[in-house]
Amino acid sequence: MARLIDSVVGHTAVIDQLIQMRTAGRWPHALLFAGPSGVGKRKVALAFAQILICEKEELACGVCGPCLRVAKEQSESLLFVKQDEKAARPTIKVEAVRDLLDSLSLASMGKNRVVIIDDAQTMNPQAANALLKTLEEPFENVFFILIGEDLNQFLPTIRSRVQVIRFAALSLAQIQQVKPGQPDWAYRSSRGQVDRLDLLASPEGTQKREEALGLFEQFCANQDFLLANDWRPQIKDRTWAQFNIICWLQIVRDLVILKTQANKFILNTDQLERLKKLYSIQSKKLLWLAQQLVRAERDLLGNGDPVLIFEDLWVKYARE
Ligand SMILES: [Zn+2]
């Protein structure tokens, strides 16, 4: 088995920076990997866990016992803090952090240990505070890697005690390398995120995307959109409401591009004929709609009611 670092696609600047920190002996006790989901942050975290835990080489050998155990995620030196899956919303609870601190208090015989906290933004305030104490008075040879999307989702007290490493989305070529054999429109619409690509290319995602375009046509054309009830059940589901907004943003973007005749930049290449039928919507209105959709996406993340958000959007659209 090779080193994990060799199988990471993209993120070369980030990796160079991290390698430099390692070789210069400046590896901090807490890092926060921030950036879009599905771009490989967890993979990079595991790769550097291997580097820190390997006992043979500074940048990991990939073949010693500790290296192999990290690769299998079965190393006693590699600890994870996991979400409570049973909670209504995925949450990292204080018990999970306390369990971690208990296991960290056991002696490690001077060996490095790495703690990976994925979806760290889901720590509830008690969990974040419990972690904070550890970040203030770190254990010897224990290195934390927190993984999250948006820095604003973290308490300022946490942010001030970690070194932030920013990750960008994958390029088109990179995501094709990570997940070959997917349809062109799915790559283009994935925003360089593998989780989004998986969703789009899944049978369910393909169908929902089709529905999203149908709903968009209805939204733009139907004077009785508010009276129609057929769209409410699918929008009620928050995940699909978010997915719908993503699809609509891409449709709006494509419609604006259509007007500039730069068709090679179209994302929904397979839906071109249907998009052309929406050509009459004015650019000004499309740009307005794009802004409103971005706002709606935020409202949804902030726990707004999906159906109300879409009703409100349509009322404003009809008036615009
Ligand atoms: Zn090794």
Side-chain angles (χ1 to χ4, degrees), residues 118-167:
D118 207 351
D119 293 312
Q121 76 281 358
T122 65
M123 275 188 290
N124 68 18
Q126 294 92 320
N129 280 322
L131 178 71
L132 205 54
K133 291 208 187 77
T134 315
L135 296 181
E136 281 165 353
E137 293 166 33
F139 290 89
E140 213 179 325
N141 301 329
V142 172
F143 303 98
F144 283 84
I145 303 178
L146 280 64
I147 302 176
E149 292 179 30
D150 188 349
L151 279 187
N152 294 321
Q153 293 172 311
F154 289 89
L155 294 172
T157 42
I158 294 272
R159 269 185 285 166
S160 66
R161 282 175 181 79
V162 296
Q163 183 167 345
V164 176
I165 306 286
R166 287 176 195 273
F167 282 70

Side-chain angles (χ1 to χ4, degrees), residues 57-76:
E57 287 178 30
E58 191 176 35
L59 295 176
C61 68
V63 291
C64 70
C67 273
L68 293 176
R69 285 195 287 278
V70 170
K72 286 189 203 147
E73 299 185 26
Q74 289 171 348
S75 167
E76 66 286 355

Side-chain angles (χ1 to χ4, degrees), residues 167-180:
F167 282 70
L170 297 172
S171 70
L172 194 59
Q174 286 165 348
I175 198 164
Q176 281 168 332
Q177 190 186 339
V178 175
K179 274 267 159 114

Side-chain angles (χ1 to χ4, degrees), residues 94-134:
V94 68
E95 292 80 7
V97 177
R98 286 203 191 115
D99 287 349
L100 168 79
L101 300 183
D102 283 347
S103 43
L104 285 179
S105 62
L106 302 170
S108 71
M109 318 279 222
K111 290 178 185 168
N112 283 345
R113 286 179 292 180
V114 178
V115 179
I116 295 180
I117 310 183
D118 207 351
D119 293 312
Q121 76 281 358
T122 65
M123 275 188 290
N124 68 18
Q126 294 92 320
N129 280 322
L131 178 71
L132 205 54
K133 291 208 187 77
T134 315

Side-chain angles (χ1 to χ4, degrees), residues 7 67 79 117 223 230 280:
S7 63
C67 273
L79 300 117
I117 310 183
Q223 296 301 314
D230 52 341
S280 62

